[in-house]
């Protein structure tokens, strides 16, 4: 049952990513992959909060698996983030490729850290 | 035109089904691959590197196949945005880097984070190159006609 729900929430997460991505692209035409970066940073903030709630005993392990492995995993993406950096590099925009790659890594880890600390402090 | 794909219920459904399948596969890998003795999250690393390779391969192959028709769009969104997007994850990577660092393993945390990023780009480029190689081989075979 958990497996089925993890898959279902992964599908919901992927659909949410698709809609957020399309919405973002319709509004801001940027050369940095801001849509994917925003998705990955917000998903990392959420997984940090969930992990903080789990460690504080405020969230059941099964609920954590569903929300973190299911939704956050389906919502965030490493493959698209990689492809977008490769495309920037292919286009000769090395500077933006480095900013996107390192920026995503640093900002997602910072978001997970902030989310975790905030959830632990508040629960 | 291409702006409205995310408002097409059918395409959102295709992405959702793909995402569910990709997540199911990722969940399977999590159960099959346990962290290494030193704490390296092998499952996430494997998923992300394999997924980056396959997405590079898929998108380059579709790009070389020509203008995007309905069938190719469903393939790109279902397999790429859905399956491979759902199979790979940035949130687990970020949380694992945070956890390793706060467990007193800042060196491994940095190596895992930066290593994932760099190797993800390398495997993605490899996927692009493999698709380009297949495409050239096929084009070459077509130009020279059947060997027999």
């Amino acid at each position: 049952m958990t497996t089925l729900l993890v898959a279902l929430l992964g599908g919901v997460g992927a659909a949410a990513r698709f809609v957020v991505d399309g919405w973002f692209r319709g509004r801001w035409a940027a050369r940095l992959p801001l849509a994917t970066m925003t998705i990955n940073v917000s998903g990392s903030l959420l997984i940090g909060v969930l992990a903080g709630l789990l460690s504080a005993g405020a969230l059941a392990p099964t609920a954590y698996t569903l929300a973190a492995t299911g939704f956050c995993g389906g919502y965030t993406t490493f493959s698209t983030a990689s492809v977008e950096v490769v495309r920037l590099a292919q286009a000769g925009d090395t500077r933006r490729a480095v900013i996107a790659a390192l920026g995503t890594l640093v900002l997602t880890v910072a978001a997970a850290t902030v989310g975790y600390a905030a959830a632990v402090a508040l629960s | 035109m291409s702006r409205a794909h995310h408002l097409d219920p059918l395409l959102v459904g295709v992405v959702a089904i793909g995402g569910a399948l990709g997540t199911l596969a990722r969940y399977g890998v999590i159960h099959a691959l346990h962290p290494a003795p030193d704490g390296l999250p092998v499952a996430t690393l494997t998923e992300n590197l394999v997924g980056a390779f396959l997405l590079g391969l898929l998108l380059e192959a579709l790009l070389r196949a020509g203008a995007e028709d309905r069938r190719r769009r469903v393939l790109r969104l279902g397999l790429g945005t859905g399956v491979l997007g759902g199979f790979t994850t940035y949130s687990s990577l970020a949380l694992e880097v945070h956890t390793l660092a706060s467990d007193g393993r800042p060196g491994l945390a940095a190596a895992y984070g930066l290593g994932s990023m760099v190797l993800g780009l390398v495997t993605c480029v490899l996927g692009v190159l493999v698709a380009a190689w297949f495409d050239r081989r096929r084009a070459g075979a077509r130009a020279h006609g059947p060997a027999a």
Side-chain angles (χ1 to χ4, degrees):
Chain A
M1 190 61 192
T2 304
T3 306
L4 207 66
L5 285 174
V6 165
L8 193 74
L9 281 167
V12 171
R17 166 162 46 81
F18 182 51
V19 172
V20 170
D21 181 81
W23 182 84
F24 224 94
R25 280 171 208 275
R27 266 152 196 80
W28 293 284
R31 281 195 280 172
L32 272 175
L34 290 179
T36 306
M37 290 174 80
T38 304
I39 286 163
N40 282 336
V41 171
S42 57
S44 298
L45 180 71
L46 179 59
I47 206 172
V49 169
L50 294 167
L53 292 176
L54 176 73
S55 82
L59 188 68
T62 308
Y64 173 79
T65 303
L66 296 182
T69 311
F71 181 80
C72 292
Y75 177 63
T76 62
T77 172
F78 180 86
S79 47
T80 300
S82 301
V83 165
E84 287 172 343
V85 169
V86 168
R87 286 194 167 158
L88 280 172
Q90 278 178 325
D93 201 340
T94 317
R95 193 175 66 89
R96 282 193 182 79
V98 171
I99 291 173
L102 274 178
T104 299
L105 181 63
V106 170
L107 291 175
T108 53
V109 173
T113 304
V114 167
Y116 185 91
V120 168
L122 294 175
S123 56
Chain B
M1 222 179 74
S2 67
R3 273 182 55 166
H5 290 167
H6 68 291
L7 300 176
D8 182 338
L10 193 79
L11 293 179
V12 174
V14 164
V15 171
I17 291 168
L21 294 174
T23 300
L24 193 64
R26 177 163 43 80
Y27 196 51
V29 173
I30 292 171
H31 286 282
L33 296 178
H34 297 287
D38 63 357
L40 185 73
V42 182
T44 307
L45 183 64
T46 305
E47 290 150 5
N48 283 343
L49 298 188
V50 169
F53 172 82
L54 291 177
L55 190 64
L57 181 84
L58 174 75
L59 295 184
E60 184 68 16
L62 287 173
L63 207 65
R64 285 168 174 270
E68 182 165 79
D69 53 15
R70 183 87 183 163
R71 190 184 64 92
R72 285 183 192 134
R73 181 170 305 139
V74 167
L75 278 176
R76 176 173 64 82
L77 295 176
L79 293 179
T81 308
V83 174
L84 296 174
F87 184 62
T88 62
T89 169
Y90 223 111
S91 49
S92 295
L93 166 62
L95 181 64
E96 285 157 355
V97 170
H98 157 76
T99 304
L100 285 171
S102 57
D103 283 351
R105 316 285 304 275
L108 184 63
Y112 171 57
L114 288 169
S116 290
M117 187 197 88
V118 171
L119 291 176
L121 296 176
V122 170
T123 55
C124 180
V125 168
L126 280 177
V128 170
L129 292 176
V130 167
W133 181 77
F134 269 113
D135 185 51
R136 270 198 306 272
R137 232 173 65 127
R138 213 177 30 189
R142 219 180 289 130
H144 293 109

